[in-house]
Amino acid sequence: MERLENLKLSLDQLKLSGTKENLIKVLIEISKLLPPSDDVAITLGKKGTHEYVIDRRGLAIITTSQDEYLPFLSSSEKRISMEQLPDDVAKKVMSDISSLLIQLRDILKAQARRNPSYGSLASEVDLIVKG
């Protein structure tokens, strides 16, 4: 469980110094723990029509818009570097880091139904959430 140890260390660094750089380290460790699926992402926050999410491949912006003449929503995804996360979204995430860990735990629990090896990882993340 070296990956989980890296997450714990990065969370400790974030608690000591709540900087965007330390948050980025946490986000990188969380993305490494996500199952290999394009259907899984953790929401960091919304800003207007943009939703910032992390998945196995890193950080992305999902932009949603309503088509002018049709009652449909369309969305597009754009990959950005972790450093491009807006400061206000980063501050919001840092103030409620437990919600990110809860989303991670829930994703791992759901994945454990398909692949039991994720069960112990979900349990350990749950200990961090409660810790």
Side-chain angles (χ1 to χ4, degrees):
M1 288 295 158
E2 181 182 319
R3 293 184 296 179
L4 203 53
E5 289 302 318
N6 291 339
L7 176 60
K8 288 178 188 176
L9 289 173
S10 60
L11 284 167
D12 289 342
Q13 287 178 340
L14 183 63
K15 287 178 187 173
L16 290 174
S17 173
T19 63
K20 186 175 175 181
E21 291 77 23
N22 286 335
L23 174 64
I24 289 170
K25 290 176 186 176
V26 171
L27 296 178
I28 290 169
E29 293 306 320
I30 288 174
S31 70
K32 289 177 184 177
L33 294 172
L34 290 170
S37 171
D38 289 337
D39 299 331
V40 175
I42 294 177
T43 299
L44 300 179
K46 290 185 178 187
K47 190 173 179 181
T49 60
H50 304 299
E51 181 176 1
Y52 294 87
V53 299
I54 57 169
D55 61 13
R56 187 115 176 126
R57 298 180 305 169
L59 180 63
I61 302 174
I62 308 292
T63 304
T64 306
S65 61
Q66 186 170 357
D67 292 333
E68 189 172 342
Y69 299 107
L70 300 172
F72 300 110
L73 291 176
S74 61
S75 64
S76 62
E77 174 187 27
K78 179 181 177 187
R79 291 277 155 195
I80 60 173
S81 71
M82 293 282 190
E83 291 76 20
Q84 291 176 295
L85 181 67
D87 291 339
D88 57 335
V89 175
K91 286 178 185 173
K92 182 180 175 252
V93 171
M94 282 188 275
S95 69
D96 190 19
I97 197 75
S98 64
S99 71
L100 244 63
L101 297 172
I102 290 168
Q103 287 183 69
L104 174 63
R105 179 200 60 200
D106 292 346
I107 288 168
L108 294 174
K109 281 183 178 180
Q111 184 68 20
R113 290 185 210 119
R114 291 181 220 102
N115 182 348
S117 67
Y118 282 91
S120 62
L121 193 56
S123 298
E124 291 200 39
V125 171
D126 193 41
L127 291 175
I128 295 172
V129 169
K130 292 176 181 176

